[in-house]
Amino acid sequence: MIRQRRCRAAFRAGRTADRGVAVRTGRGVRQDRTGTAAAPSSPAATDAVRRAPVTLCVPRETSRSHIGGYATCPARKGSFQQFARCAHRTCHAPPIMDAKPPSPDAFLIRRTLQEIAPNADKATSYFYALLFVRHPELRDMFPVAMDTQRDRLLKALLTAAEHMDDTAALTDYLSGLGRGHRKYGTRPEHYPAVGEALLGALARYAAPVWAPQTEAAWVRTYTAISQIMIDAAAADERTAPAWWHAEVVGHERRTSDVAVITLRPDQPYPFVAGQYTSVETPWWPRVWRHYSFAAAPRDDGLLSFHIRAIPAGWVSTSLVHRAVPGDVIRLGPPAGSMTVDHTTDAGLLCLGGGTGIAPIKALVEDVVRHGGTRDVEVFYGARHRYDLYDLDTMLAMEREHNWLSVRTVICDTPPDALTGPLPDAVRRHGPWEEYDAYLSGPPGMVRSSVDTLVRIGMPAHRIRHDLGHGPLVTVEY
C-alpha cells in the first residue's frame, strides 16, 4: 500500500518512481539503485526475458510514415480482449527475424497485458469507474453513452505501452494522440488522474504478476507517454485550434444509406490526401467518429466526405439522414499515414471497398496534382452493383488519365466486372512488385488484403492503410 501511494504520488509530480526501490526478482528481492526496473537476476529468468515474444503488433520495418505494418494481427478483428490477448500469441503475419529482445520494462508491461486479457472488458470498465469516482469532474468530458468510448482510451494507452521500444514511431503516434485530445478539452492536470485509474485497474486484474517492479515499469512508461502527449498538445496550441467549425454546404444522397457531404470550415483546414479527421455533430455532443477525406485539398477550401449510415451508428446516421445545408459540425485535427510518397515513381495499387473508395479517390487526385506520371491501379469492391455509388466519378477520371486503371470487383457476378473477394481479384492481376499498396474499406477486407499481398511477396512496409484509422486507433466507415 505504501508503495502504491508513492507511485501514485509520482504521477501527480510528473516524475517516475523514487530511486532505490526494492524490486522482486524470480528468486528474491534485491535493491535497484538506479531507479529503473531490474531485470530478473536468475539465469533462467534472464533467458526468459531474452526469449520473450516481441509484441506481435510491432511493425515489420520501422517507419514514421507507416507504423501500421502489423495489420495482420488478429487483434485487429475487434475487441479489446482480443487485442490484449495478442501480446503473447502467434500472429499469422510472417515472423520478424531481426527483432530485438524487449527491454525489461517492455517485458513486464507485456506480461501484464497477457494477464489481463481474459478479463480485459472488466478491466476497462473498472478503469472508467475508478476515474469517474475519484474525479467526477471528468465525467462531462465523455459522452453520455460509453458503448464506443468505453475501451478507446485504455486501448490507446495499452497499445502505446506495448510499442514502447519503437521510440521514433511511437513518438509520432503519441504526438498525434496528444494533439487530437485537445478537442476533448484534455489538460495536463488530467493525465495524473488517468494514470492513477490505469494503475488501479492493472493492479486489480493483473494481480498474479503485479509486483513493485511491474508497477514501477508502468509508472515510468505512463509518465513518458503522457509527457510526449502534453508537449505535443502545447506545441499544437500555438499554431492550430483545438477544433474547427464547419458548415454543411452540400448534401447529396447517392444510395439509401450513403451520402456525399461537403463542408466549409470556418478557417483554413490543412490536411494531406489520404488522411482522415474526427467529426462531432450537434445531435450527439462529445461523440466523435473518424471519416476519411474524399478529395485532395481544394483551392476553395471545401472538404468532402462519403458517409455510410451504419446500424446503430449515431454520428453516421445523423449525417446521412438528418444533416442539411446550414448545419454546423465540428472537426478535429487531421491524422493518418495513408499518404502518397511523391519522392518515388513506384506505381500505386489502390484497393477501396464500399465507402473506402473515398480516400482512394483523394489519392488519385493527389497524383494528378503532382503531375500524374506513375501507374495507378484501382480495384473498387462492393457486394452489389448498386453499392458502387462513386463509379461514374472514378471512370471519368480513368478516361481523362491514361496512367489510371479502374476495375470493379462485385460479389453478385455481373458480366462486366471481376468477381469474388477483392483480395483474390488483386492476386489474379499481379504481379505487384513495383507497386506501393493503399488499402481502405471494411476492416475484414483490409486484413484479408494485407494477408494476400504479404503472401504474394509484397513487403509489409510498402502496404499502407489506416485500419482503424491509424494502426493504433479505431476507424468508423
Side-chain angles (χ1 to χ4, degrees), residues 178-197:
R179 291 189 292 269
H181 273 57
R182 291 183 58 213
K183 67 179 179 288
Y184 301 119
T186 304
R187 300 190 300 271
E189 58 267 28
H190 296 153
Y191 285 88
V194 173
E196 293 175 19

Side-chain angles (χ1 to χ4, degrees), residues 20-37:
V21 299
V23 295
R24 190 170 297 161
T25 65
R27 296 189 178 184
V29 176
R30 65 184 176 89
Q31 192 76 6
D32 175 15
R33 297 181 180 178
T34 66
T36 59

Side-chain angles (χ1 to χ4, degrees), residues 96-151:
I96 305 171
M97 303 307 296
D98 58 347
K100 296 180 180 179
S103 64
D105 276 5
F107 171 75
L108 293 171
I109 286 171
R110 292 165 192 168
R111 185 173 64 173
T112 308
L113 298 180
Q114 180 186 22
E115 184 63 33
I116 69 171
N119 297 298
D121 293 337
K122 293 180 180 179
T124 303
S125 297
Y126 189 74
F127 163 78
Y128 280 106
L130 284 179
L131 182 64
F132 296 151
V133 167
R134 293 175 178 175
H135 301 277
E137 72 280 5
L138 300 183
R139 183 62 182 88
D140 288 342
M141 296 174 61
F142 294 84
V144 174
M146 294 286 290
D147 299 48
T148 301
Q149 179 64 38
R150 187 169 301 279
D151 70 343

Side-chain angles (χ1 to χ4, degrees), residues 2 10 124 138 142 161-162 169 187 217 277 321 359 368 371 393 427 444-445:
I2 294 175
T124 303
L138 300 183
F142 294 84
E162 192 174 348
R187 300 190 300 271
T277 188
H321 297 296
V368 173
T393 302
R427 184 180 62 249
M445 184 221 84

Side-chain angles (χ1 to χ4, degrees), residues 36 85 95 119 146 238 250 266 298 311 350 433 437 456 459 472:
T36 59
R85 187 182 296 115
N119 297 298
M146 294 286 290
R238 294 192 289 268
D266 62 344
R298 296 167 44 161
C350 301
E433 287 83 358
I456 65 177
L472 305 182

Side-chain angles (χ1 to χ4, degrees), residues 254 260 273-274 293-296 298 304-306 338 350-352 355-368 376 378 380 389-394 397 403-404 440:
R254 294 288 182 86
V260 175
F293 296 100
R298 296 167 44 161
S304 179
F305 299 90
H306 296 177
M338 200 184 75
C350 301
L351 282 64
T355 51
I357 198 64
I360 300 302
K361 173 175 171 288
L363 292 177
V364 174
E365 293 179 354
D366 192 39
V367 174
V368 173
V376 179
V378 174
Y380 186 2
Y389 66 90
D390 208 37
L391 180 59
D392 289 345
T393 302
M394 300 303 300
M397 296 173 70
W403 44 262
L404 173 63
S440 179

